[in-house]
């Protein structure tokens, strides 16, 4: 009998060890989930968009593809990066007062599909070219490389990340919110912010309305409007990057840059303080006027295809910005010509934030 008890005890111990080992393996696997990201310049409503302007954390041999939906709507399929959560940013590329917004995103088999809808000012749906980026992040970063994002669905935080593992928060509503990114503080303004509206049913535009950097964290105001500039309660995404690419990849590219255009001066000028005008290869980014409401941004020393650009407006009013045309590479310099900003359907001088990244 005593011998039988010993045998049973040994079986129980082995079973517990196996269960513990499986649990530890599962926990380890969950903690080791890699960051997933992808970007594209969508210049075709069906098929494969520009191969020179798409990249992601998928294996070689796969491509982004696009399927048309209703007028102004398209579905962007990022291959082999199916996941939940994360954030999406979209910027229209157009000669007119157009904007594009995310409707939703999520896994479809092994892929991730993002639904994008574009409008002209006033709310009429329109097919437009645009840039789109998706990313989801894990882990922590050195304080100098602060990174955080929030996906707010109009009622609560649906997804978030903070590179020092602090919980982000959102207060407000009805078209105006304050976002707190604790632990990502800086003694002076440093970094870049991108904001995109998320709404599957109606036109919506969102922007950075204000920014207060503190030593303990970043306080950012977000405001959103409908098609005719009325404040709108809607979903949105926000990403804050500091000395980190907009893709938030676990292994960052060597070539990325961002800037915050605070002036309407003809320029060219280099925005200050230096923390808002970062260049990973130590080039000095400059901004200059190309006409009323048009600002050309130069990112030197970081041109390495494939490349990606996002831009967002800054200020409390309903103005919004897009990219007038596709950026170009000349030698090692990236020419963003231009960030175009609008009040209603008219171009106006307006502050904006622009971020650039290469896949390498």
């Amino acid at each position: 009998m005593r011998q039988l008890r010993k045998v049973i005890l040994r079986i129980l111990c082995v079973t517990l060890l196996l269960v513990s080992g499986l649990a530890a393996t599962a926990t380890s696997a969950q903690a080791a989930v890699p960051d997933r990201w992808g970007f594209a310049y969508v210049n075709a409503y069906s098929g494969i968009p520009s191969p020179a302007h798409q990249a992601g954390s998928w294996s070689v041999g796969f491509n982004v593809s696009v399927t048309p939906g209703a007028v102004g709507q398209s579905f962007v399929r990022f291959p082999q990066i199916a996941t939940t959560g994360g954030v999406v940013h979209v910027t229209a590329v157009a000669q007119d007062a157009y904007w594009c917004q995310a409707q939703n995103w999520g896994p479809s088999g092994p892929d991730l599909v993002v639904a994008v809808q574009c409008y002209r000012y006033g709310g009429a749906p329109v097919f437009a070219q645009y840039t789109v980026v998706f990313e989801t992040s894990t882990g922590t970063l050195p304080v100098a490389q602060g990174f955080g994002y929030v996906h707010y669905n109009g009622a609560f935080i649906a997804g978030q990340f903070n590179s020092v593992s602090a919980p982000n928060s959102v207060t407000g509503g009805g078209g105006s919110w304050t976002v707190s990114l604790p632990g990502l503080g800086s003694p002076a303004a440093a970094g870049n912010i991108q904001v995109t509206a998320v709404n599957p049913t109606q036109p919506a535009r969102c922007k950075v309305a204000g920014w207060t950097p503190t030593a303990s964290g970043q306080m950012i105001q977000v405001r959103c409007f409908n098609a005719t500039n009325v404040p709108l309660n809607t979903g949105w995404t926000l990403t804050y990057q500091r000395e980190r690419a907009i893709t938030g990849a676990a292994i960052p590219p060597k070539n990325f840059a961002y800037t915050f255009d605070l002036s309407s001066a003809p320029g060219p000028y280099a925005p200050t303080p230096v923390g808002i005008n970062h260049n990973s290869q130590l080039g000095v980014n400059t901004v200059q006027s190309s006409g009323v409401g048009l600002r050309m941004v130069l990112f030197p020393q970081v041109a390495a295809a494939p490349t990606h650009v996002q831009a967002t407006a800054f200020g409390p009013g309903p103005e919004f910005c897009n990219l007038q045309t596709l950026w170009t590479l000349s030698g090692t310099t990236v020419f963003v010509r231009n960030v175009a900003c609008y009040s209603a359907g008219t171009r106006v001088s307006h502050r904006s934030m622009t971020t650039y990244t290469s896949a390498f």
Side-chain angles (χ1 to χ4, degrees):
M1 193 69 171
R2 192 174 298 140
Q3 191 67 25
L4 180 61
R5 283 199 200 98
K6 287 182 180 179
V7 171
I8 293 172
L9 185 58
R10 283 181 188 142
I11 293 171
L12 286 172
C13 288
V14 170
T15 302
L16 285 170
L17 285 170
L18 285 171
V19 170
S20 298
L22 287 171
T25 301
T27 302
S28 176
Q30 185 176 12
V33 171
D35 296 351
R36 301 178 186 186
W37 60 274
F39 63 66
Y41 164 54
V42 178
N43 63 338
Y45 309 123
S46 181
I48 298 175
S50 174
H53 300 92
Q54 61 168 269
S57 54
W58 48 81
S59 303
V60 174
F62 291 93
N63 289 293
V64 177
S65 60
V66 181
T67 304
V71 176
Q73 183 187 47
S74 52
F75 299 92
V76 184
R77 181 174 292 269
F78 291 112
Q80 305 296 304
I81 61 168
T83 187
T84 56
V87 288
V88 168
H89 291 293
V90 188
T91 299
V93 181
Q95 297 283 327
D96 298 300
Y98 293 175
W99 80 89
C100 298
Q101 64 197 58
Q103 292 186 305
N104 50 62
W105 62 90
S108 176
D111 306 330
L112 181 96
V113 175
V114 180
V116 175
Q117 176 70 55
C118 300
Y119 296 95
R120 62 163 49 95
Y121 179 76
V126 60
F127 281 116
Q129 298 179 7
Y130 58 86
T131 66
V132 56
V133 59
F134 166 83
E135 62 93 6
T136 181
S137 295
T138 58
T140 59
L141 296 173
V143 174
Q145 297 181 346
F147 192 84
Y149 62 69
V150 171
H151 171 204
Y152 188 77
N153 68 2
F156 55 86
I157 293 177
Q160 63 170 306
F161 172 76
N162 182 300
S163 62
V164 299
S165 300
N168 306 320
S169 64
V170 176
T171 58
S176 180
W177 300 267
T178 298
V179 182
S180 174
L181 305 176
L184 304 184
S186 54
N192 191 266
I193 304 161
Q194 295 294 312
V195 172
T196 295
V198 179
N199 195 306
T201 61
Q202 63 176 308
R205 299 192 315 271
C206 299
K207 64 187 296 192
V208 184
W211 179 20
T212 305
T214 69
S216 60
Q218 304 293 333
M219 301 293 289
I220 303 165
Q221 284 71 52
V222 173
R223 288 191 178 175
C224 299
F225 302 88
N226 70 6
T228 55
N229 295 344
V230 177
L232 177 68
N233 193 72
T234 184
W236 43 264
T237 58
L238 175 148
T239 296
Y240 169 77
Q241 58 179 128
R242 186 173 70 242
E243 298 188 22
R244 197 76 176 177
I246 188 66
T247 53
I251 301 176
K254 294 180 180 179
N255 298 287
F256 66 92
Y258 51 75
T259 195
F260 183 4
D261 181 16
L262 286 161
S263 174
S264 59
Y269 85 105
T272 56
V274 293
I276 64 172
N277 196 42
H278 181 76
N279 184 298
S280 65
Q281 297 296 329
L282 304 182
V284 178
N285 312 320
T286 59
V287 184
Q288 64 191 76
S289 176
S290 294
V292 176
L294 299 175
R295 305 291 283 177
M296 182 166 68
V297 182
L298 274 65
F299 295 121
Q301 307 301 322
V302 290
T307 59
H308 188 75
V309 174
Q310 291 284 329
T312 195
F314 181 94
E319 298 88 352
F320 63 99
C321 302
N322 62 24
L323 298 175
Q324 186 184 28
T325 189
L326 180 66
W327 59 96
T328 58
L329 310 184
S330 178
T332 61
T333 299
V334 181
F335 288 79
V336 181
R337 188 185 182 107
N338 299 291
V339 177
C341 298
Y342 296 87
S343 176
T346 303
R347 283 192 193 130
V348 294
S349 296
H350 192 65
R351 293 171 289 177
S352 63
M353 293 182 169
T354 305
T355 186
Y356 158 85
T357 189
S358 165
F360 304 107

